[in-house]
Amino acid sequence: MSANNALHIAVLGGDGIGPEVMAPALEVLRKIEATTDLKFRFTDAPAGANNYLATGKSMPDSTVKLCDEADAILLGACGLPSVRYPDNTEIMPQVELRFHFDLYAGVRPARLIPGVPSPIVGADQRGIDLVVIRESTEGLFASMGKGVVTDTEARETLVITRKTSERLFEFSFRLAERRKARGRANGGLTCVDKANVFKAFAFFREMFDDAARRHPDVKADRLYVDACSALLVKRPWDFDVMVMENMFGDILSDMTAGLIGGMGMAPSADIGDRHAVFQPCHGTAPDIMGQGKANPTGMILSVAMMLDWLADKHGLESAAEAGERIERAVDKAYADGIKPMEFGGSNGTNDIAKAVLAAL
């Protein structure tokens, strides 16, 4: 933190609905600032497809420098389907930041808020409260921009390293322990892989087993990704924390978001040893941009995750309490009848923001 004890937050609004959901999230932080001893300093920075159109770069060096110096990074959403690199891939500074700052732990909570519809029968009674931890710098994504394409075939390479996997598993077991201590869940951790087919995943599982022996208080399970997928849509309440390779996590985290009402409800974080980026799981949704329809809940809950991470990083108990306050405020807003448009309701960005701010 800086000398004036304010937490410096880099703010990357991005493209599409990114700036629209960022605005209420910052309002929430300003209300937290007004009602606690926490202080924030926000610095806006460009990143995304629009910046690429204007400058030929996904983000300037000044944005990367700001992110390096800030206490945390908030990101709305980046990329537009119509804006592409010459190789036809999308502009994704959020992914570039993962590699630049070695943000190996992609944390994707999926908690069903009371009053929010789930497609899973029984979820309203049993509840859903799980976390997908997606390794975010290796796996199949290590091949991003490096694939080989010829006239007859295309190849991408999956990479799993000991250094990253061991840090990932330590992070995952610690998170399972923290959730158990807080009474959030049963303290279980499931390794999701395809170790019965690929040597790389057998290697992944071996390192998971080694970590499990160092954390005997955490119930450690192993599941193949196909079996895990089937169980998630039958009994999601049986899961606590799950850890997996990058591409598996990319897919399953979207599926778990679908279990709790959709992408608009899902927060996320990409966390490394020193830096962390917090953003909603959803994309830029250009089809609803500028119409006031965007659901800011995922962004607001990402702010709550940021405060919890800052609390752990700096020993700020008030930040952890503020994060919990935000979660309770979101719960109250939905319990009082807020219904976003993606659920067939009439409440847009402003309605949801006002309800959460009032509950704070």
Side-chain angles (χ1 to χ4, degrees):
M1 288 183 288
S2 57
N4 64 3
N5 212 37
L7 293 159
H8 184 198
I9 311 300
V11 179
L12 282 59
D15 305 305
I17 64 169
E20 297 175 36
V21 298
M22 181 66 76
L26 296 182
E27 285 188 64
V28 166
L29 282 172
R30 291 186 185 101
K31 185 148 189 180
I32 290 294
E33 187 177 45
T35 55
T36 67
D37 61 352
L38 296 170
K39 301 297 176 187
F40 303 103
R41 179 164 59 94
F42 304 112
T43 305
D44 293 314
N50 286 313
N51 193 75
Y52 177 78
L53 287 175
T55 68
K57 296 182 70 174
S58 67
M59 54 186 163
D61 293 340
S62 59
T63 294
V64 178
K65 185 174 185 292
L66 169 68
C67 291
D68 188 27
E69 295 172 349
D71 289 296
I73 304 156
L74 280 180
L75 191 150
C78 286
L80 294 171
S82 59
V83 182
R84 304 270 175 160
Y85 287 119
D87 66 358
N88 205 38
T89 58
E90 284 194 39
I91 313 303
M92 295 187 290
Q94 66 273 31
V95 177
E96 295 167 30
L97 288 171
R98 294 171 195 164
F99 290 107
H100 190 87
F101 293 120
D102 195 18
L103 309 179
Y104 55 86
V107 183
R108 309 290 178 88
R111 182 175 66 91
L112 183 61
I113 292 170
V116 174
S118 171
I120 306 303
V121 174
D124 52 344
Q125 287 88 34
R126 301 294 297 270
I128 299 172
D129 188 352
L130 58 85
V131 182
V132 170
I133 300 181
R134 165 192 179 184
E135 194 290 311
S136 289
T137 61
E138 297 182 346
L140 195 55
F141 278 72
S143 192
M144 193 176 74
K146 303 173 185 176
V148 178
V149 180
T150 71
D151 288 341
T152 57
E153 65 177 46
R155 292 175 180 263
E156 305 279 3
T157 302
L158 181 146
V159 177
I160 291 175
T161 70
R162 180 174 295 279
K163 177 184 176 182
T164 296
S165 298
E166 288 181 344
R167 287 184 297 163
L168 178 75
F169 293 139
E170 283 302 313
F171 179 95
S172 302
F173 276 103
R174 288 198 307 271
L175 179 61
E177 289 166 346
R178 286 182 68 197
R179 281 168 58 82
K180 184 177 180 180
R182 292 179 175 184
R184 287 290 292 264
N186 60 17
L189 177 63
T190 303
C191 179
V192 180
D193 57 43
K194 198 64 177 171
N196 58 330
V197 175
F198 296 103
K199 293 180 180 179
F201 287 113
F203 178 59
F204 191 72
R205 184 179 286 203
E206 286 173 9
M207 290 181 284
F208 175 83
D209 291 342
D210 288 342
R213 285 187 280 272
R214 295 191 294 272
H215 297 270
D217 293 336
V218 175
K219 183 179 181 294
D221 291 318
R222 297 103 182 134
L223 274 177
Y224 300 134
V225 65
D226 44 349
C228 180
S229 301
L231 289 171
L232 273 171
V233 296
K234 290 178 67 177
R235 298 181 59 84
W237 43 82
D238 286 346
F239 289 89
D240 183 3
V241 184
M242 297 177 288
V243 60
M244 61 199 74
E245 176 270 339
N246 207 333
M247 179 59 82
F248 289 168
D250 188 25
I251 297 166
L252 288 192
S253 63
D254 276 23
M255 188 175 79
T256 55
L259 305 181
I260 60 162
M263 302 299 283
M265 302 299 299
S268 79
D270 289 305
I271 299 174
D273 292 335
R274 290 185 55 243
H275 302 85
V277 175
F278 300 86
Q279 66 180 105
C281 285
H282 63 68
T284 55
D287 57 321
I288 61 169
M289 177 178 61
Q291 300 173 40
K293 296 179 178 179
N295 183 353
T297 304
M299 185 78 243
I300 292 170
L301 291 173
S302 297
V303 164
M305 291 181 69
M306 180 189 75
L307 291 172
D308 190 62
W309 179 76
L310 287 168
D312 188 53
K313 183 180 180 184
H314 295 296
L316 295 170
E317 184 58 34
S318 58
E321 292 170 356
E324 291 175 0
R325 277 182 60 199
I326 292 171
E327 286 194 358
R328 291 196 298 270
V330 169
D331 286 4
K332 186 175 189 307
Y334 279 89
D336 288 347
I338 279 289
K339 193 173 183 182
M341 293 181 181
E342 65 259 41
F343 302 162
S346 60
N347 297 123
T349 312
N350 288 337
D351 288 344
I352 298 167
K354 286 178 181 177
V356 174
L357 287 165
L360 273 173

